[in-house]
């Protein structure tokens, strides 16, 4: 089980993590929460249902990582598509941010609930928590990949994957690859 998820009864999954891996995953999830930003909680006395119908932003984020997490729905090839994307974003981005925040919070909470046995623990997730973890692992990889300028056509033979240890990007590349392996094994455990 070390390093990869395995299926558990009831549609969940489990993975053995050491203390360093737990700390890295938690730190990355917290950084993702900070990047996404706080949610808009209804003010005291405000109707909570009104928040469900609140309009979100109509402009894409300027931060490239956020723009990758919240992409344009229809592109920006012409004025009509830009207008349609703005309208779509206005009514969906708040919900998407909430879901991404909830996914990252599940990662933090499940890691915080672990009891270390020595310097390791087994993380056991329910089926619902697996879906939260998949979403968050994907968001983390998208964010790190954007920061590393990993393109869609990037392959394992790329020079990015053969960086010398002295390259300051090396830790993030290693995290990117490790998160990809975790994500892949989690997907495999959930396949029928």
């Amino acid at each position: 089980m070390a390093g990869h998820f395995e299926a558990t009864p009831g549609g969940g999954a489990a993975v053995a993590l050491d203390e360093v891996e737990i700390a890295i995953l938690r730190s990355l999830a917290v950084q993702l929460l900070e990047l996404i930003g706080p949610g808009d909680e209804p003010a005291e006395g405000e109707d909570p249902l009104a928040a469900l119908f609140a309009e979100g932003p109509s402009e894409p984020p300027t931060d490239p990582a956020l723009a990758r997490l919240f992409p344009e729905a229809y592109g920006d090839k012409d004025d009509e598509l830009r207008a349609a994307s703005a309208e779509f974003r206005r009514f969906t981005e708040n919900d998407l941010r909430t879901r991404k925040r909830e996914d990252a919070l599940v990662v933090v909470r499940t890691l915080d609930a672990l009891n270390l046995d020595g310097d390791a623990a087994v993380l056991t997730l329910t089926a619902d928590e697996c879906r939260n973890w998949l979403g968050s692992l994907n968001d983390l990889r998208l964010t790190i990949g954007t920061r590393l300028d990993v393109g869609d056509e990037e392959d394992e033979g790329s020079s990015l994957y053969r960086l010398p240890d002295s390259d300051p990007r090396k830790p993030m590349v290693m995290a990117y690859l490790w998160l990809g392996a975790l994500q892949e094994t989690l997907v495999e455990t959930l396949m029928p």
Side-chain angles (χ1 to χ4, degrees), residues 70-129:
F70 306 104
E72 291 285 36
Y74 306 109
D76 61 356
K77 302 268 189 261
D78 60 40
D79 289 340
E80 188 174 318
L81 289 177
R82 275 192 293 280
S85 284
E87 188 76 359
F88 184 81
R89 178 179 301 282
R90 204 172 85 212
F91 292 108
T92 61
E93 186 171 313
N94 285 347
D95 288 340
L96 187 55
R97 279 183 187 267
T98 298
R99 196 199 72 207
K100 290 179 181 300
R101 223 178 348 269
E102 288 170 358
D103 288 347
L105 281 171
V106 167
V107 170
V108 171
R109 289 177 181 143
T110 55
L111 292 171
D112 285 350
L114 288 176
N115 293 314
L116 289 176
D117 183 15
D119 66 346
V122 174
L123 173 70
T124 303
L125 303 173
T126 65
D128 286 339
E129 290 168 337

Side-chain angles (χ1 to χ4, degrees), residues 15 25 37 46 53 56 60 67 74 79 83 114 124 127 145 151 161 172-173 178 189:
V15 64
L25 283 166
E46 183 181 348
F53 300 102
Y74 306 109
D79 289 340
L114 288 176
T124 303
Y161 300 106
M172 289 312 293
V173 170
W178 176 57
T189 66

